[in-house]
Amino acid sequence: MHDDPKQLLCYSHHLGHTPHWIQALRSGGDADNPPVSGHLVEVHDDGTLIVDIDGTPRRLWNHDPARLVALVERNRGQVTFQSRWGLLRTPSSNGSFVFSVCDADAPRRDCLSHEPTGTIIDIVDEAGGFTMSAVELQRALDAEVSAHDTPE
């Protein structure tokens, strides 16, 4: 059974947007920064979240508050938070749903509604991360080297 409501289409991996799969994977094995239990207290339409983390209220932000609320409500507000990774989780039928969050008062970027293009540096700056195969990466690097070697 697929129990995940439709996700907001966003190509940004900056904090508060779509978690990058490497971020989610690596955080799961981080024994030095384990998840801390908490409870979702309040959610505002602008994406501001009030989360009680181990007895301390935290103001966080996520770009898709409607989806976050729909999934967290299924668990009566139960969440875990990993500050080091900027990740909020709530249980699912086969693990957990993962949300990238940032401090609500931190500067944030708008959602990215298109796949970023340009150099690797442009893509990282615009999207905060990316995924591509080794072959695609080599092509991109070769193209960048060729562009720099071409006389003007």
Side-chain angles (χ1 to χ4, degrees):
M1 177 176 143
H2 186 67
D3 61 351
D4 187 353
K6 185 175 181 175
Q7 296 182 35
L8 180 69
L9 180 61
C10 177
Y11 292 95
S12 175
H13 296 292
H14 291 285
L15 288 178
H17 293 274
T18 305
H20 194 280
W21 66 272
I22 294 174
Q23 173 190 22
L25 185 65
R26 296 218 33 215
S27 67
D30 187 353
D32 294 332
N33 301 283
V36 179
S37 293
H39 188 83
L40 182 64
V41 176
E42 196 173 310
V43 179
H44 299 266
D45 290 341
D46 71 351
T48 301
L49 319 169
I50 308 299
V51 183
D52 182 305
I53 304 296
D54 205 21
T56 303
R58 295 283 307 259
R59 285 176 30 92
L60 303 171
W61 179 84
N62 177 268
H63 72 146
D64 194 1
R67 178 173 173 262
L68 188 145
V69 167
L71 294 170
V72 174
E73 280 182 346
R74 294 177 185 180
N75 298 308
R76 296 179 307 281
Q78 177 187 357
V79 295
T80 60
F81 178 58
Q82 277 181 288
S83 179
R84 155 84 171 77
W85 296 95
L87 294 177
L88 193 71
R89 288 183 168 86
T90 194
S92 75
S93 60
N94 60 351
S96 62
F97 293 105
V98 181
F99 299 90
S100 177
V101 292
C102 64
D103 185 285
D105 298 320
R108 25 185 207 249
R109 296 178 181 230
D110 292 333
C111 287
L112 187 57
S113 61
H114 62 277
E115 288 194 59
T117 59
T119 68
I120 292 172
I121 292 172
D122 294 338
I123 293 170
V124 169
D125 182 53
E126 187 175 10
F130 62 92
T131 297
M132 63 176 53
S133 70
V135 170
E136 292 170 313
L137 179 60
Q138 189 60 57
R139 281 188 203 130
L141 291 171
D142 290 346
E144 288 183 34
V145 168
S146 293
H148 290 301
D149 289 345
T150 305
E152 294 181 26

